[in-house]
Amino acid sequence: GHIKRTRMYIRLLAEHIKQHEKYKHFLSDENIDMLYKSAPLHDIGKVAIPDHILLKPGRLTDEEFEVMKTHTTIGHDVIESSVRKLGKNSFLTIAAEIALSHQEKWDGSGFPQGLKGDAIPISGRLMALADVYDALTSQRVYKPPLSHALSVEIIKKGGGTHFDPDMVDAFLEIHEQFRDIAGKFADVQQEK
């Protein structure tokens, strides 16, 4: 479900913000299609993270979190090796960029490179918001799902720190569509 939802979220957000002066140079129909195709690979590096960390039901230690953070560079490197074989015109070029940059934060406090503001690729900024919304609204081994309303508030408060403020503004205009996607592609139906 996470893969289906995040690819739908990233396309929805990209389609909504593509007319914005700051993004229209990158968000062509072709690039939006590439974002949609490459989004499922954003966490591919997690295959190298040991299960005792990846599936830990509690909070990660500092050491475990350092290992978890490597999923961005591992994913990037794995995808880049395919790009070298298939050529730069492949959707994998954007997939590698997303894998590396989706954990960066607008204020520079993210990882792995500590990129800040517009230095973060647009693809990574889109995926950051899509990925966080999905993480907030989905059950994880370490937490229950949060409501859509609370998740929207968290993302709203993260504008300018965690997220590109323009992306947050666009999200706030279409957040109901995010909720619809979350419901349609839910992992499991909650028993009443």
Side-chain angles (χ1 to χ4, degrees), residues 19-36:
Q19 297 307 318
H20 190 291
E21 191 63 36
K22 190 172 169 182
Y23 306 103
K24 66 182 182 181
H25 71 282
F26 176 72
L27 293 176
S28 64
D29 291 342
E30 180 182 354
N31 277 355
I32 291 172
D33 185 54
M34 293 235 200
L35 286 164
Y36 179 77

